[in-house]
Amino acid sequence: MSQIMGQPVTEDADGPAKPLLGIEQLGKRFGGFVALDTVDLAVPQGQRLGLIGPNGSGKSTLVNCISGTLQNETGSVAFNGERVDGMPAHRRARLGLARSFQLPRPFRSMTVAENIRVPLIYTVGARAGFHLTSSELEDRCMEVLSLVALQDKAGKNPFDLTQVEMRKLELARAMAAEPKLLIADESMAGLSHSEVEDIVALLIRMNERGVTIIMIEHIMRAVMAFSQRLVVLVSGRKIADGAPADVIKDEDVVRAYLGT
Amino acid sequence: MQFDLLINAIIAGVMLGGFYAAVTAGISISFGMLDIVNIAHPGFIVLGSYIAYIVNAQFGVDPIITAIVALPVFYALGTLVYGIYFQSFEKRGQDSMRGLAFFFGLLFVTEVGLNLVFGVDYRSVDASYIGGSLKLGIMEFPLRMLVPALVSFVMFAGLQLYMSRTFIGRAVMAVSQDPQALELMAVDPTRIKRIAFSISMATCSLAGAFLIIIQPVLPSSGREYIGRVFAVCVLGGLGSLPGTLIAALLIGVIESITATFYGPSWSPAVSFGLLLLTLAVRPSGLLGR
Amino acid sequence: MRTPLFTSILILIAAALYMAFRYLGNDYLFFAGYVVLQYIVIATAWNILGGYCGYVNFGSAGFFAIGVYCTIFFYNIGQSPGDVFPDFMLTPMGWIFPLPLPILIVLGGFFAGLVGLGMGYLTLRLRGVFFAIATLALAVVLETFVVNWPFVGGSRGAYVIPPENIPVFGTFIQYLFVLMLLLVVLALAAARLIERSRLGVGFATIRDDELAAETCGVPTLRLKLVATAVSGALFGMAGAPFPFYIGYVEPNSAFNLSYAVNAIAMPMIGGTTTWIGPMIGALLLSTLQQVVTVTISSAANLLITGLLLIGFVILAPKGLVGLWQGWTGRSAKP
């Protein structure tokens, strides 16, 4: 049985555990433009975190810096007690960090199933230290695909998928890596009501099995239903961080969304 | 080290650098700003050289005049090439590999085509200022290098003004940084890119004239310049015209000094070596974003 | 089909081909055949980095030439060891030199692979475009070094004189032909093995989307270095026997642009996603080039190659293999 849905959480006898993800004073510039400005964020193991903010606020840059797609310039990123800044993305993936891309980036020369095989081979297999056999690969592939209801499209090329299906594939590919921390970047754009509910339910199930999840979304319904904690990012700065019900009533947050 | 030899090597280097700037200006636009790796650019420069050669041989017209007259022709050629490139590659998405192969094929076909038409002999031009030089004390300015260098600086200044002052020029700078913002301003990014690419191709006309004034030309001359062109571009920083000029002068001087004191056979290695070094150490170049 | 079986079939075909040529008795077949085989290796070598990983190498001639000049270097040592080694080393060196061709091939491959690795380490962390430009630069830098190095002949060139006859094979060209046949078997088997392995999956992700590949755990830099080293090594191995084939080598012929163009054109025309594409492209283009050179001219030959490259890249980006797959509706790999 694979670990896609996470592992059972065991209580740490020493008391409150160190945060799974610890971001301190994170900074990132593009030339003269400051994309992230001294962001602090500590995410404990097992949390469901919602991250919201207007377009251009730096959410994707933050995700990129966490996953290693970009390297932060100042501050630090620690995962599972280990400093990961400077580490290339593939090493962070093997440590248990997975992310989906806001604009889906499937491997276009491969089928849907082959897309899922990549993290199975290069993250799960690499982590375990041995190669999964072809039948194991196939089983896990279909397992992941059925979680997002894409099993019938296994042999299709991403070119033949709808936008919605591509987003699901994107999420599935991240899930296939059996992460400890999953960052879902706008995975639900364009989905119907019931599809949104399905994905939220799926993510909550994963979380109940121990996967820490950061959800970046614009669909407030989903964010509120999912998040135990809400963080708001505006112009590269964290302006609010706390219980969702409180955060959405916060003055600064309201002003950021409604504008001045 | 003989002082006057060094001074004249530096002077030659500056003039050479001015020429390199003209050669590279087009690439600075197409590669630096539009992200199109037109490695056929030096091939088109050599094409410009040969056009200047025929007109000069048949009618005795000064090559720079020919080049200016030929500017619209090269502009149109640029539009054509961009059209093919856009339809075949950019529209279809990623696959930069094929785009590169396309331009490499163009470079190759241009060279071989010129080979078939003109043969492998050196060609050069006749003009009133070739052969003479301006002497100021121990400093010597060979006119065949001075005239192209001066015109090149003028051309460069013109380009820089165009890029920074006109609407289209600034749109080109914008499209390299944020095509979406451009669309929001109701400007068609494709049209802007097409114009920019055509301008970059037009510079080949003048650069070609400069080349054949400075030295005799072979169909394969283009290939010698690929490394120099990209070395200048990368060293100066992609997308920065002033950076290109500084890098061009720098490389021109270093090459000139190397050639004077160590022999000309090491020249190609200078710029290519600098290119490799820049890529390894500071890929964003001197003034790059 | 498992790799050992495939390799065995290739060896059988190679043996049959050799026997057939020997039976026909015309030495020209061996000379022409050597060139075609050489290009199959070159095209396959290029494709491992270019087709599988998506990183274009414009400096194929440089890597090929490393093999060429490696051979010349060791050959020259073998010819006059007294000039190179101190007296007390002459006897043992006399046993080692002159080095036999298979060893030279391995050495050529080793050094070319090493250079590929080094250059890759410097430039592969950048975008693919910069790597391509760097390969151009590398070829010129290498050529400049060779031109300025008298020991391997410099710009004047170097002579390599093969023995007239050789046991088992008869004429020396048959020996070269067989060696190149073996290299073809090695190259094709290696390419096919890579293509079907997890390594091949990794390469394909690099080609499709390097950023996404990294987030899926693919160690892109490491894989690219492997591809560059393997590709470079194959180029070097293809170049090592060349001095013996041609007798007189000058930098112009070793670093000839036609190697760079053919290395790209053959896989692009044949098809870049499988091991079959480069082979088909090499067979067709090489044969075409021989015909055109003889009937029209060698310059026209290059022109046609260049036009074919442009034509295919624009109109049939998946090459002949892609056209075939589209026509028959198949997409399974052979």
Side-chain angles (χ1 to χ4, degrees), chain C residues 24-98:
Chain C
L24 289 169
N26 189 345
D27 259 4
Y28 173 74
L29 282 173
F30 290 111
F31 278 100
Y34 177 90
V35 174
V36 176
L37 291 175
Q38 180 190 266
Y39 275 118
I40 296 182
V41 178
I42 287 178
T44 307
W46 188 91
N47 201 45
I48 288 178
L49 184 60
Y52 294 171
C53 291
Y55 274 74
V56 176
N57 182 353
F58 287 128
S60 314
F63 289 100
F64 180 80
I66 291 178
V68 170
Y69 278 97
C70 204
T71 296
I72 293 180
F73 177 76
F74 287 108
Y75 174 81
N76 282 346
I77 292 183
Q79 291 298 100
S80 47
D83 292 344
V84 177
F85 298 113
D87 285 338
F88 70 89
M89 285 177 76
L90 276 182
T91 328
M93 285 303 142
W95 293 328
I96 304 178
F97 288 93

Side-chain angles (χ1 to χ4, degrees), chain B residues 140-188:
Chain B
E140 189 167 340
F141 297 82
L143 284 176
R144 79 171 205 292
M145 296 195 69
L146 184 62
V147 171
L150 287 175
V151 180
S152 160
F153 287 131
V154 168
M155 180 188 94
F156 215 83
L159 269 177
Q160 177 63 13
L161 272 173
Y162 184 81
M163 286 296 159
S164 51
R165 295 291 164 86
T166 68
F167 175 72
I168 297 195
R170 280 183 299 186
V172 172
M173 304 290 286
V175 87
S176 70
Q177 289 170 23
D178 194 344
Q180 276 183 323
L182 208 62
E183 273 181 42
L184 290 172
M185 287 163 36
V187 180
D188 178 10

Side-chain angles (χ1 to χ4, degrees), chain B residues 22-28 30 37-47 103 106-107 197 199-204 207 222 226 229-230:
Chain B
V23 165
T24 312
I27 289 275
S28 193
S30 62
V37 194
N38 180 7
I39 62 167
H41 189 90
F44 289 114
I45 292 180
V46 173
L47 180 66
F103 283 113
L106 270 185
L107 173 70
F197 190 80
I199 292 178
S200 113
M201 187 69 78
T203 66
C204 292
I226 299 179
V229 162
F230 281 97

Side-chain angles (χ1 to χ4, degrees), chain B residues 271-281, chain C residues 119 122-123 134 137-138 141:
Chain B
S271 49
F272 287 98
L274 268 173
L275 173 61
L276 284 174
L277 199 64
T278 312
L279 284 178
V281 170
Chain C
M119 204 199 66
L122 284 179
T123 57
L138 179 74
V141 169

Side-chain angles (χ1 to χ4, degrees), chain B residues 67-259:
Chain B
I68 294 179
V69 168
L71 278 175
V73 175
F74 274 82
Y75 187 91
L77 181 62
T79 307
L80 176 66
V81 170
Y82 182 75
I84 299 176
Y85 172 80
F86 179 73
Q87 286 298 328
S88 314
F89 309 109
E90 207 163 289
K91 234 168 65 165
R92 288 192 200 150
Q94 306 102 327
D95 220 347
S96 56
M97 171 177 70
R98 301 217 150 76
L100 279 171
F102 168 67
F103 283 113
F104 187 69
L106 270 185
L107 173 70
F108 189 68
V109 164
T110 313
E111 175 176 334
V112 173
L114 285 172
N115 224 333
L116 280 171
V117 174
F118 292 98
V120 284
D121 301 313
Y122 278 105
R123 305 286 177 177
S124 46
V125 288
D126 273 323
S128 52
Y129 42 83
I130 296 181
S133 55
L134 188 66
K135 287 193 178 65
L136 295 174
I138 55 167
M139 299 193 290
E140 189 167 340
F141 297 82
L143 284 176
R144 79 171 205 292
M145 296 195 69
L146 184 62
V147 171
L150 287 175
V151 180
S152 160
F153 287 131
V154 168
M155 180 188 94
F156 215 83
L159 269 177
Q160 177 63 13
L161 272 173
Y162 184 81
M163 286 296 159
S164 51
R165 295 291 164 86
T166 68
F167 175 72
I168 297 195
R170 280 183 299 186
V172 172
M173 304 290 286
V175 87
S176 70
Q177 289 170 23
D178 194 344
Q180 276 183 323
L182 208 62
E183 273 181 42
L184 290 172
M185 287 163 36
V187 180
D188 178 10
T190 307
R191 175 173 158 259
I192 298 293
K193 287 192 198 176
R194 187 171 51 235
I195 294 178
F197 190 80
S198 305
I199 292 178
S200 113
M201 187 69 78
T203 66
C204 292
S205 180
L206 275 170
F210 298 157
L211 176 62
I212 199 170
I213 292 176
I214 290 181
Q215 64 174 66
V217 162
L218 284 175
S220 59
S221 299
R223 266 185 289 131
E224 292 165 23
Y225 278 87
I226 299 179
R228 286 199 186 100
V229 162
F230 281 97
V232 169
C233 216
V234 169
L235 182 61
L238 293 175
S240 163
L241 277 179
T244 302
L245 183 60
I246 296 176
L249 290 171
L250 207 61
I251 289 186
V253 169
I254 296 179
E255 251 190 47
S256 180
I257 294 180
T258 310

